[in-house]
Amino acid sequence: MAQWGSGGAGTTRTGMVIGTPEYMAPEQARGQRVITPAADVFALGSVLYHCLSGQSPFRGEHVVATLSSVLFQEPQRLRALCPEAPRALEQLIHRMLAKRAEDRPADAHVVLSQLHALREQGALDEGTALGGVEPSGAFVGSALLDCEQSLLSVIIAQL
């Protein structure tokens, strides 16, 4: 059941859970007051994991179980669910899902840089997940992997 602030429906207050627990960074689940862009990196890692594997990296029967999973469990290795995923991409997503914010890429700019580096190293090419990264920073998908679902996510960002 949703909690409502004293101002009526739709308002928020301190201590409320806002967001989707499956994609909530551990520091958010702990209720830390200072949240860095690394929390967004965690959420993006969760979305990428879900897009490639067809399931959330953190699941539970109810909200508390899901948050417990976010806080204390490691997700199943991506390549166990999607063997066609490039190992380097699996490693990047694993870093994005690190429990400690300081162990994750600091922000989306760092993630993009790492994706560019993977592309330049040949770890991501036209036949692999995410297709490629355009000079503008936009991902261009090219081919679905056999293990991918037909879910489409579009991320639009501007610096």
Side-chain angles (χ1 to χ4, degrees):
M1 176 174 229
Q3 292 183 347
W4 300 104
S6 59
T11 61
T12 60
R13 63 180 173 182
T14 302
M16 281 186 64
V17 175
I18 298 177
T20 305
E22 303 172 301
Y23 304 109
M24 197 174 282
E27 57 272 25
Q28 291 173 299
R30 285 191 297 273
Q32 287 179 221
R33 295 207 180 255
V34 177
I35 303 297
T36 67
D40 294 328
V41 168
F42 184 92
L44 178 58
S46 294
V47 169
L48 291 174
Y49 183 102
H50 195 162
C51 288
L52 291 170
S53 71
Q55 66 184 45
S56 250
F58 305 101
R59 298 172 304 285
E61 293 287 322
H62 47 75
V63 173
V64 174
T66 301
L67 292 175
S68 177
S69 178
V70 167
L71 288 168
F72 303 113
Q73 295 178 359
E74 292 298 322
Q76 186 174 7
R77 297 304 296 193
L78 178 63
R79 287 173 47 88
L81 300 169
C82 184
E84 296 88 358
R87 187 172 307 281
L89 180 61
E90 176 191 52
Q91 291 168 346
L92 173 58
I93 292 172
H94 181 73
R95 286 191 309 274
M96 293 170 75
L97 296 174
K99 300 295 182 195
R100 294 173 1 118
E102 54 271 15
D103 293 339
R104 287 180 226 132
D107 56 34
H109 181 73
V110 174
V111 172
L112 182 60
S113 296
Q114 291 178 3
L115 286 168
H116 276 294
L118 292 177
R119 174 76 188 245
E120 289 173 8
Q121 295 164 8
L124 294 181
D125 60 29
E126 292 305 318
T128 60
L130 299 183
V133 180
E134 288 292 306
S136 66
F139 294 125
V140 178
S142 59
L144 289 176
L145 300 175
D146 290 339
C147 64
E148 286 184 272
Q149 304 296 309
S150 59
L151 174 68
L152 173 67
S153 295
V154 177
I155 301 170
I156 302 173
Q158 182 177 357
L159 295 176

